[in-house]
Amino acid sequence: MKKDKKGMSRRDFAKLSAAALGSIPLMGFDNSLFNPLWHPKDDIQVNLFSKHLQFLDYNAMSEAAAEIGFDGLDLTVRPKGHVLPERAVEDLPKAVEAMKKFGLQTTMMTTNIISANNPQSKQVLETASSLGLTHYRTGWLTYPEEKTIPESIEIHAQKLAALEVLNKKLGLYGGYQNHFGNHVGAPIWDIPQILKNTSSLHMGCQYDIRHAIAEGGGSWQLGLRLVQSHINSIDIKDFKWGQKDGKWQPINVPLGEGMVDFDSYFKLLKKYKINVPASLHLEYDLGGAEHGDSKITIDKKDVFAQMKKDLTFLREAWEKA
C-alpha cells in the first residue's frame, strides 16, 4: 500500500480526513459523493471551474466542491463571475475564506485580464497575490482585420511580456488559453509566438485539450509537443462533432463520451513531466449550470452527481495512464 513520507497509508489518512471533516454539515446530497481531499503527490490536482456553481454563494459552492472531492476551485473573477473585478478587494477575500473553511486549495482563478497597465486588472492581481492565489487564466486576444496577423502577434507578444513582469513581481503564474474559433491561440502554433518575449514561467499557457483536438484533429500530439514547455495549467473537458441548428460544430459531452483520448493525453503529460493545476469544466447540459446561470432548472443533486462522475473518470484515467 502506498505510504506518505511519514509512513501513513493513504487508507489511514483518508479515515482521519473523513473523521476530521465529519462535523461539516452536508448539503442534502448523498454522502457517497464525499471523497477525501488527500491525494499522493503524483496525483493530479483537480479544481472545479466555479462557473458551474454560480447558483450558489461562496460558502455553499465551497462546501459542495469539498464534499464532491475536488482539491479546490478555479474561481471566476471576471464580469458575471463569482467575483466581479470591480469588487475584487471586497469580495475575493470572502470567497477565499469560504474555500479555506472547507479545506479547499486556493490556487486558481479565471479572469478577463490581458494588460498590465489596466488599473482594475492590477488591483485584481494584487488582491489575489495577497490572498495566496497563484495561477490565473488571462482574457483572450483577437486578430483585428486592420492589421496583419504577424503585426498582431508582435503587439500581443509585447503585451504578454509586460504582464509577465507584473506576475513575477506578485508571484503569480498567468496562462493564456488555446481556444477553438477565429482568435489568437485557436491554432496552437500561435502560443509560442505570443509568448516569445516571456520566460514562459510567470506567463505561459493554460492548455485546453478539448479545444486543441477540435482545432488540431489528428495533429494535436504535435501541438502539445510544441507548447509543452509553456504549459503552467490545464483545462479538462470532452466533446464530439455533431449538428446543431443545421451546422456541424463541437458538442460538449461528459468525460469519456467524446473524442478526447485521455489515456494518450495523460501519458504524454506524464512523459513531459507536466503535472500542473487542472480545471475541470462541465460545458454540457446541466440545467443552466454549464453556462454559469444564477438559477438552474434541474435539481442541484443531479449537478453534483455529474460533477462527481466526471471527477472520478478523470482521476481513474490519470492513474491508469
Side-chain angles (χ1 to χ4, degrees):
M1 181 176 293
K2 196 164 187 174
K3 295 188 176 183
D4 67 4
K5 292 181 179 179
K6 294 183 179 180
M8 181 180 290
S9 72
R10 180 173 182 173
R11 181 179 301 166
D12 291 339
F13 194 100
K15 288 179 180 178
L16 289 175
S17 299
L21 295 174
S23 60
I24 295 177
L26 299 178
M27 295 188 63
F29 52 92
D30 193 333
N31 289 0
S32 65
L33 293 179
F34 177 76
N35 188 36
L37 297 178
W38 177 82
H39 304 288
K41 188 176 180 180
D42 57 353
D43 270 10
I44 189 169
Q45 177 191 315
V46 187
N47 300 274
L48 174 64
F49 192 25
S50 83
K51 166 185 172 180
H52 307 310
L53 291 178
Q54 286 190 195
F55 57 93
L56 299 176
D57 62 24
Y58 300 148
N59 274 296
M61 76 166 179
S62 299
E63 183 178 10
E67 289 184 355
I68 294 168
F70 288 97
D71 296 300
L73 284 162
D74 176 5
L75 190 63
T76 52
V77 186
R78 60 183 184 180
K80 298 182 180 180
H82 262 118
V83 176
L84 301 178
E86 63 270 21
R87 287 195 52 82
V89 173
E90 295 82 10
D91 292 346
L92 190 52
K94 298 175 185 176
V96 169
E97 181 183 8
M99 292 167 65
K100 289 181 176 179
K101 176 181 176 182
F102 291 98
L104 296 175
Q105 297 179 13
T106 53
T107 302
M108 301 183 74
M109 65 177 182
T110 292
T111 74
N112 65 336
I113 294 170
I114 207 62
S115 172
N117 297 321
N118 182 287
Q120 185 179 90
S121 295
K122 289 180 69 174
Q123 190 175 62
V124 169
L125 294 181
E126 288 169 354
T127 303
S129 174
S130 71
L131 294 169
L133 279 87
T134 54
H135 292 67
Y136 74 96
R137 190 176 88 192
T138 68
W140 291 308
L141 298 165
T142 61
Y143 284 126
E145 288 290 336
E146 65 271 15
K147 297 185 186 304
T148 67
I149 288 180
E151 286 173 341
S152 292
I153 285 176
E154 288 301 321
I155 294 171
H156 297 329
Q158 293 174 25
K159 184 174 292 187
L160 293 184
L163 196 52
E164 183 185 45
V165 172
L166 178 60
N167 290 342
K168 184 176 181 179
K169 177 182 177 182
L170 297 174
L172 297 174
Y173 301 88
Y176 185 85
Q177 182 192 28
N178 59 294
H179 197 289
F180 179 83
N182 285 315
H183 51 252
V184 180
I188 199 68
W189 314 97
D190 285 352
I191 300 299
Q193 292 300 307
I194 63 174
L195 294 175
K196 64 183 179 180
N197 295 336
T198 76
S199 67
S200 291
L201 176 60
H202 290 277
M203 187 64 240
C205 171
Q206 183 169 107
Y207 184 79
D208 191 308
I209 184 61
R210 179 267 196 207
H211 292 298
I213 293 180
E215 284 286 351
S219 67
W220 69 267
Q221 294 97 333
L222 289 177
L224 178 59
R225 178 181 168 189
L226 177 71
V227 303
Q228 51 96 7
S229 64
H230 299 285
I231 297 172
N232 58 24
S233 62
I234 59 175
D235 294 319
I236 302 292
K237 61 188 83 160
D238 205 350
F239 83 104
K240 60 184 179 182
W241 285 97
Q243 283 197 332
K244 186 176 181 181
D245 300 326
K247 296 182 179 181
W248 284 95
Q249 56 189 289
I251 305 295
N252 297 307
V253 296
L255 299 190
E257 297 182 17
M259 298 178 64
V260 176
D261 181 351
F262 284 101
D263 185 61
S264 295
Y265 175 46
F266 288 161
K267 278 183 168 65
L268 283 174
L269 290 183
K270 291 182 178 182
K271 174 184 176 181
Y272 296 135
K273 295 180 169 47
I274 299 172
N275 191 354
V276 294
S279 178
L280 176 62
H281 294 220
L282 300 91
E283 307 285 355
Y284 48 88
D285 186 17
L286 282 177
E290 72 278 16
H291 300 307
D293 291 352
S294 58
K295 294 183 179 180
I296 57 175
T297 60
I298 63 176
D299 193 315
K300 64 183 179 182
K301 294 180 183 179
D302 295 329
V303 176
F304 299 151
Q306 191 58 55
M307 289 174 172
K308 178 65 174 181
K309 181 180 177 183
D310 274 8
L311 178 60
T312 299
F313 176 92
L314 193 167
R315 291 205 186 282
E316 290 179 351
W318 178 264
E319 186 175 350
K320 292 176 183 176

